[in-house]
Amino acid sequence: MTSYYYLSDGELAERLHLGDHRAFSQIYERFFGVLYKHAFNRFRDQEQAKDVVHELFEDLWMKREHLLINSNLSHYLYTATRNKILKIIAHQNVVTAYATKQSVMIKPDEGLTDHRVRERQLAEIIEKEIQSLPPKMKTAFELSRKHNYTYKEIAEKMDITEQSVRSHVKNALKILRTKFGILIFLVVFFYLFSFF
């Protein structure tokens, strides 16, 4: 019987791709500590660091059939963690900017409930605009921004070239930027990662 402890990263990645639970468990045991330490160094918050790494491993399992990791598993996991951290930091910056702008516009007695109603309404408007994009553009945009697929993964899934995927996502961003303006365009990404 194979001892998963002694398998190389590349062998674990291959077995993960085939849906091997034990390979996934070994990857988790092998990399959780170092990825958690990296996330903690950025956030200085134990729970937030754990959440980021757990979410990364959840994505890893859910997308295992479509991932093209090859032999450099550690590089893939480190990059994926860094990208999640950067999205959270960008999200926090957008939330701060949005909250600052809203605090000027909202009366003190409107309270938190009204703020959340406005957030939900804005999320619905954004989603409606995304749904009105041309079908292929919408699919490419959602796979990229809501599900964090790479252009290569999207190209394979949609059976189109990576260049076509890039064009679809670029055009979708251009349309949304035109409709929402710069500040609201940034807020689009806040809602994409919060509500969808």
Side-chain angles (χ1 to χ4, degrees), residues 83-96:
N83 289 343
K84 282 189 175 296
I85 290 168
L86 291 176
K87 281 181 187 174
I88 290 170
I89 291 170
H91 162 92
Q92 289 170 341
N93 290 340
V94 169
V95 170
T96 301

Side-chain angles (χ1 to χ4, degrees), residues 142-182:
E142 288 183 325
L143 288 172
S144 172
R145 292 306 191 261
K146 291 184 184 179
H147 303 291
N148 299 317
Y149 280 84
T150 65
Y151 286 165
K152 186 169 186 176
E153 291 167 343
I154 297 168
E156 289 174 358
K157 199 170 184 66
M158 294 180 66
D159 197 26
I160 58 177
T161 66
E162 284 186 60
Q163 184 56 46
S164 295
V165 173
R166 195 170 281 107
S167 294
H168 283 314
V169 174
K170 183 179 176 184
N171 290 335
L173 291 172
K174 188 184 289 185
I175 289 168
L176 293 172
R177 195 164 33 235
T178 301
K179 290 189 177 184
F180 292 111
I182 294 299

Side-chain angles (χ1 to χ4, degrees), residues 120-138:
R120 182 61 64 180
Q121 288 171 342
L122 181 55
E124 289 169 3
I125 292 167
I126 292 166
E127 179 62 12
K128 185 177 177 184
E129 291 299 333
I130 291 170
Q131 294 307 314
S132 71
L133 293 170
K136 281 193 174 181
M137 186 186 294
K138 177 179 78 111

Side-chain angles (χ1 to χ4, degrees), residues 50-97:
K50 283 180 189 173
D51 287 347
V52 166
V53 180
H54 283 142
E55 185 181 317
L56 170 71
F57 279 104
E58 183 180 319
D59 289 348
L60 182 67
W61 179 254
M62 298 302 291
K63 297 177 185 177
R64 66 191 180 278
E65 294 176 4
H66 307 288
L67 295 176
L68 301 171
I69 300 173
N70 299 322
S71 60
N72 205 340
L73 181 60
S74 60
H75 176 73
Y76 173 86
L77 293 172
Y78 177 83
T79 302
T81 303
R82 184 195 64 200
N83 289 343
K84 282 189 175 296
I85 290 168
L86 291 176
K87 281 181 187 174
I88 290 170
I89 291 170
H91 162 92
Q92 289 170 341
N93 290 340
V94 169
V95 170
T96 301

